[in-house]
Amino acid sequence: MRAPSAKKIASLPVVVELVQEHRRQGRTIALANGVFDLLHVGHVRYLEAARQLADVLVVAVNSDASTRANKGEGRPVIPEDERAELVAALGCVDHVVIFDERTVVEVIRAIRPDVHVKGTDYTPESIPERIEVEKYGGRVAIAGDPKDHSTTALIERLGR
């Protein structure tokens, strides 16, 4: 049985419509993205901080295929639908979309967030999508606590 928070998960075309409605109501949109495999406190702090930067937080979750392309075989540990549901269960998250591409650029082009938010393992200059966001007048931001937590480190600890 899917949790009630699963209703926050939608396809990209549906999320685009929802974002357009938010904008008609004068709300600003933040977009955060990631794999969110083995959800940990670093993820929560990142998303809560991202939500503080806008009225609405959309989170793009890498699909299983996208995760394998970026992280290698053996990842993800948790299937995409379950990872998306976990992220959707967080109170700071308004909408979740799963994407298949290696990067989140197509989601950015579709949603055109006011602010695209990355974690503290980036600087504003090193955000790969920065140029795409700045093309339409959006901005990039860094949010969350220092990168002291990682799924890779958790997996390594569990493998001991």
Side-chain angles (χ1 to χ4, degrees):
M1 179 178 140
R2 289 180 61 153
S5 58
K7 68 180 186 254
K8 294 181 184 180
I9 304 166
S11 66
L12 185 56
V14 170
V15 171
V16 167
E17 287 178 28
L18 293 166
V19 163
Q20 289 170 347
E21 181 57 31
H22 287 301
R23 283 207 171 96
R24 282 191 287 275
Q25 295 174 12
R27 295 184 187 116
T28 56
I29 310 300
L31 173 69
N33 70 283
V35 173
F36 304 102
D37 201 8
L38 299 184
L39 194 65
H40 55 70
V41 71
H43 292 136
V44 173
R45 291 172 182 167
Y46 161 53
L47 295 175
E48 286 181 333
R51 178 62 168 74
Q52 297 301 310
L53 299 173
D55 300 314
V56 175
L57 177 59
V58 177
V59 180
V61 175
N62 294 72
S63 70
D64 292 348
S66 174
T67 301
R68 273 190 298 282
N70 287 312
K71 303 279 187 183
E73 287 303 315
R75 297 286 302 276
V77 174
I78 307 296
E80 64 191 44
D81 292 343
E82 292 178 19
R83 290 184 284 117
E85 193 171 328
L86 287 166
V87 169
L90 298 174
C92 59
V93 175
D94 296 292
H95 306 290
V96 175
V97 62
I98 298 170
F99 69 100
D100 282 322
E101 298 77 23
R102 278 189 77 127
T103 73
V104 74
V105 169
E106 292 305 316
V107 176
I108 289 170
R109 287 179 180 154
I111 292 175
R112 298 173 60 97
D114 298 288
V115 59
H116 177 51
V117 188
K118 295 294 251 189
T120 57
D121 46 337
Y122 291 90
T123 64
E125 298 76 30
S126 72
I127 293 175
E129 305 85 9
R130 178 179 56 85
I131 292 170
E132 191 66 39
V133 173
E134 291 174 350
K135 276 184 193 175
Y136 63 82
R139 67 183 180 93
V140 296
I142 304 300
D145 63 349
K147 185 79 175 180
D148 295 333
H149 309 90
S150 82
T151 297
T152 302
L154 280 173
I155 291 169
E156 287 172 3
R157 282 180 39 208
L158 290 170
R160 287 188 211 177

